[in-house]
Amino acid sequence: MTHTSELTKFVGNFIDELAKGGMTDIVISPGSRSTPLSMMIAEHESIKHWVHMDERSAAFFALGMAKQQQKPVALVCTSGTAAANYYPAIVEAFYSRVPLVILTADRPHELRDVGAPQSIDQIHMYSRYVKWFQEVAMPEDSDTMLRYVRSIGARALHQSLDGNAGPVHLNFPFREPLVPDFSMEDVWGNDRQESYHPVTSGKRMLDTRQIEKIKEEIVGLERGLLVCGPQEDRNLAEAVTSLAKHLQLPLLADPLSQVRAGEHEKDHVIECYDAMLKSEETRERFKPDFIIRFGAMPVSKPYKLLIENHPDIVQYVVEDFEGHREPTNNHTRMIYADGTNFCKQWLQEVGTWMYDKSWLDNWREANSITKKCLIEDKGVGSLSEGHVITELTELLPEKSSIYIGNSMPVRDLDTFFMTTPKHIRVLANRGANGIDGMVSSALGAAAHGESVTLILGDLSFYHDLNGLLMAKQYGIDVRIIVINNEGGGIFSFLPQANHPNHFEPLFGTPLQLDFQKAVEMYNGSFTRVETWEQFRDAVTTSFSANDLHVMEVITNRDENAQWHRDKWKRIEESLRGV
């Protein structure tokens, strides 16, 4: 056998195994050393390949697609710094538990550490930010090695999904020549229909004795809270709201919990807790005896302050598999069990008991008062960043997704995204909370035709302008709402704002860029919005445009900060009688 035939069959069997394992999408960044992988992927009839020139944006594009599809997406790049550009998205995928399979091409061993071009140390280059790493063997086409490479492909898919999902990394050393031979017979190997290593795995569950023990610990406590933080289980909303009704307890629902939207019952859902708890006085009056939390730590800083300032609160955190997402470092009882099954077990095995009824009533009343204060000036007067969320929620069609940017947008979503019967899924990159890659992530989420609206700030938009290429290249339909307050709006709420000599150049960082020119370069439509009427018209029009549509909402940083402070003060005053 020649080198080319060995290369072709080895890589062909690997790619075919990914397809048999259920992988349907692979994002490729062009390069020479990755030629065997790229060409074999492009040739396989069961895999759709996406070509992105910028590895950094490509990785976030794959991340957004994997998050939306809830299945692994692969990345392919050449050797050298191309692979290093994947790093930010891999870090995000690790912390936000998104399955990615990273395939990096590499120089063969004899060209490493000898000054060969595009040769860097790629062994374990992503360190602990991948769940599994393998340096793949040099290509051979013996039966033993073809079975080996299939097992590597099958295991990579399984590892990316096993337990808490996350990225895995396979490094492929290739010698030249690099072009596979498609004239060969049987380049894809055997004709089995299933994966080489099919895996059957179950979900963690508590037994009745463990459930009873938790009940015994909290049965004497009067004031409890259920909390649902950021999470992606589409079945949890129905289960956790049913549990809240069963126990007659308030349910604090983070905007990324998937609980605020949908047809499930929301009588016990408290969505305005972030605005309520900004007041220290309110935090003291609404201090719970115990908390049972599902998902990650909520976005809300006031909620975190409530926990930090009261370490005596009995706290349980339910994790589907493993992990310790409790940044206050308070004493916490970790429950490793599938959240949806945990709720169902309680409904089946634990009878109701009477909590302090006034506790639930007070939370409901406070939520209603806060909500009224938040939306009383909705859609009137000058543009306000918070009401971009409330207006958009009303305009969104059924079965839509919001991809929300970090810094101020996600905090405004927390405050102004009210409960709705619409099916609205909320996505975000809250693993590492960075502002990079947001455009690409949203485009990845929209790549298969899903209705996606991205909301982000002007700095985040600038940070990933390269990502717009995919909208042009593949005709992806997406709406992008850019909140342009000329810089980092969130810093206006922080102590740095009290140092005017350094604030603008170090924190405010106004860009003074005309985004319209950049959007038009990628064949997108652009609308600059300065009134609510213009905003509604632009959003409504964008849903029938089927293209990239960017809406720039012009706001003022100082006015926005004061508007938020006025809201918080009014809410604090209104809640004093509750």
Side-chain angles (χ1 to χ4, degrees):
M1 285 288 185
T2 66
H3 166 79
T4 296
S5 63
E6 290 181 325
L7 176 73
T8 302
K9 285 205 167 188
F10 187 83
V11 177
N13 274 261
F14 172 76
I15 299 302
D16 188 63
E17 188 59 38
L18 294 183
K20 282 184 168 59
M23 179 166 286
T24 56
D25 295 274
I26 299 181
V27 182
I28 300 170
S29 292
S32 177
R33 191 60 55 167
S34 53
T35 294
L37 290 166
S38 300
M39 291 186 69
M40 296 301 292
I41 290 165
E43 191 74 11
H44 201 289
E45 62 180 12
S46 299
I47 293 177
K48 180 173 178 56
H49 67 281
W50 309 77
V51 179
H52 202 312
M53 312 300 173
D54 184 325
E55 287 86 3
R56 183 170 169 275
S57 293
F60 278 105
F61 181 82
L63 180 141
M65 186 182 294
K67 187 184 286 283
Q68 180 74 283
Q69 301 294 321
Q70 294 190 312
K71 59 188 291 188
V73 174
L75 284 159
V76 173
C77 73
T78 190
S79 61
T81 56
N85 280 300
Y86 283 165
Y87 216 119
I90 290 171
V91 170
E92 174 60 33
F94 179 80
Y95 283 116
S96 58
R97 302 178 177 179
V98 177
L100 294 178
V101 178
I102 300 101
L103 312 175
T104 56
D106 203 350
R107 292 311 200 246
H109 300 79
E110 67 270 17
L111 293 182
R112 298 178 185 177
D113 199 25
V114 292
Q118 284 187 258
S119 178
I120 66 173
D121 185 0
Q122 296 177 199
I123 306 301
H124 292 289
M125 72 178 299
Y126 303 123
S127 186
R128 64 181 297 269
Y129 295 113
V130 293
K131 297 175 62 182
W132 185 60
F133 167 78
Q134 283 287 293
E135 163 89 331
V136 180
M138 298 296 295
E140 295 181 29
D141 66 350
S142 66
D143 288 343
T144 298
M145 292 306 289
L146 295 183
R147 290 197 301 271
Y148 155 79
V149 80
R150 279 192 176 273
S151 71
I152 289 291
R155 187 175 174 189
L157 286 172
H158 171 65
Q159 292 280 18
S160 72
L161 290 168
D162 185 42
N164 294 329
V168 300
H169 177 205
L170 303 179
N171 194 56
F172 284 82
F174 292 128
R175 292 190 179 99
E176 296 178 340
L178 300 167
V179 177
D181 181 3
F182 294 117
S183 68
M184 294 176 55
E185 293 183 2
D186 196 25
V187 296
W188 307 116
N190 66 60
D191 58 359
R192 287 180 303 98
Q193 297 302 309
E194 67 173 1
S195 170
Y196 194 74
H197 288 312
V199 175
T200 301
S201 58
K203 296 181 177 180
R204 283 192 172 192
M205 292 182 63
L206 302 185
D207 60 36
T208 302
R209 179 186 57 79
Q210 292 170 315
I211 292 284
E212 285 295 330
K213 184 176 186 300
I214 297 170
K215 176 186 172 181
E216 291 170 4
E217 291 173 350
I218 64 174
V219 70
L221 304 178
E222 290 288 329
R223 310 199 304 177
L225 288 178
L226 299 182
V227 177
C228 194
Q231 65 88 39
E232 295 290 338
D233 182 354
R234 299 182 185 184
N235 298 315
L236 182 60
E238 181 72 39
V240 75
T241 51
S242 295
L243 180 61
K245 181 178 181 179
H246 181 73
L247 299 178
Q248 288 296 295
L249 289 176
L251 170 58
L252 277 55
D254 184 270
L256 306 176
S257 66
Q258 319 308 325
V259 171
R260 294 192 191 182
E263 295 180 356
H264 50 273
E265 186 176 309
K266 303 182 189 68
D267 288 351
H268 293 70
V269 173
I270 308 296
E271 76 266 52
C272 297
Y273 64 93
D274 176 75
M276 291 167 52
L277 298 177
K278 288 188 185 297
S279 161
E280 183 178 357
E281 176 186 335
T282 305
R283 288 198 297 273
E284 290 299 320
R285 288 194 292 118
F286 283 84
K287 174 200 168 188
D289 297 325
F290 73 91
I291 291 172
I292 301 176
R293 169 160 66 82
F294 303 83
M297 189 71 172
V299 170
S300 171
K301 186 174 181 179
Y303 172 80
K304 183 169 178 281
L305 287 173
L306 172 69
I307 308 301
E308 285 179 335
N309 294 338
H310 298 97
D312 59 317
I313 296 173
V314 178
Q315 184 174 212
Y316 299 84
V317 173
V318 181
E319 288 276 11
D320 287 351
F321 296 101
E322 60 184 354
H324 198 97
R325 297 184 293 187
E326 178 36 57
T328 66
N329 292 318
N330 286 355
H331 177 61
T332 302
R333 296 148 172 85
M334 305 301 297
I335 300 173
Y336 292 128
D338 177 76
T340 297
N341 284 342
F342 177 83
C343 293
K344 291 178 178 178
Q345 281 184 279
W346 272 68
L347 291 171
Q348 294 168 0
E349 300 179 24
V350 179
T352 58
W353 60 86
M354 186 58 67
Y355 283 116
D356 180 356
K357 183 64 165 54
S358 63
W359 171 249
L360 174 60
D361 292 340
N362 288 345
W363 272 98
R364 281 172 160 169
E365 182 183 359
N367 190 67
S368 178
I369 290 170
T370 304
K371 189 173 186 177
K372 182 179 179 180
C373 291
L374 288 171
I375 65 175
E376 60 187 354
D377 56 346
K378 178 183 74 69
V380 297
S382 59
L383 293 173
S384 51
E385 296 181 17
H387 283 326
V388 166
I389 305 295
T390 52
E391 288 287 327
L392 178 66
T393 304
E394 294 183 3
L395 295 169
L396 284 175
E398 271 287 344
K399 297 183 179 178
S400 297
S401 293
I402 293 174
Y403 217 118
I404 193 73
N406 285 315
S407 295
M408 274 309 295
V410 72
R411 287 164 174 82
D412 276 331
L413 186 81
D414 195 2
T415 304
F416 293 95
F417 180 46
M418 308 301 177
T419 54
T420 173
K422 290 182 182 179
H423 293 84
I424 299 174
R425 190 163 174 231
V426 184
L427 304 172
N429 294 350
R430 292 298 291 175
N433 299 359
I435 67 168
D436 46 349
M438 293 306 309
V439 171
S440 297
S441 297
L443 285 167
H448 284 286
E450 296 86 351
S451 175
V452 175
T453 301
L454 170 64
I455 310 170
L456 78 174
D458 51 308
L459 294 184
S460 295
F461 186 58
Y462 163 75
H463 219 281
D464 194 25
L465 282 176
N466 282 3
L468 294 175
L469 177 65
M470 294 300 273
K472 175 180 181 291
Q473 195 160 300
Y474 292 98
I476 298 174
D477 176 25
V478 70
R479 281 143 301 288
I480 301 178
I481 298 174
V482 180
I483 309 293
N484 191 347
N485 52 27
E486 278 294 350
I490 194 169
F491 292 107
S492 297
F493 296 89
L494 301 179
Q496 292 92 319
N498 298 320
H499 298 270
N501 290 341
H502 300 292
F503 183 75
E504 282 301 299
L506 294 179
F507 305 104
T509 59
L511 295 173
Q512 298 177 344
L513 294 176
D514 184 354
F515 288 129
Q516 181 171 356
K517 296 175 181 177
V519 173
E520 290 175 348
M521 180 173 69
Y522 293 105
N523 293 349
S525 302
F526 180 88
T527 305
R528 184 169 287 109
V529 172
E530 296 180 341
T531 68
W532 286 120
E533 184 178 3
Q534 290 174 348
F535 178 78
R536 297 183 195 107
D537 288 344
V539 172
T540 302
T541 300
S542 72
F543 284 112
S544 58
N546 295 319
D547 64 358
L548 166 65
H549 197 121
V550 177
M551 291 155 276
E552 182 184 42
V553 179
I554 307 297
T555 64
N556 179 282
R557 260 190 281 139
D558 293 335
E559 291 177 4
N560 177 63
Q562 189 58 50
W563 182 81
H564 279 78
R565 292 188 181 103
D566 289 344
K567 286 281 185 188
W568 300 337
K569 182 178 180 181
R570 176 165 168 71
I571 290 167
E572 181 178 12
E573 293 171 349
S574 299
L575 292 180
R576 286 202 173 119
V578 178

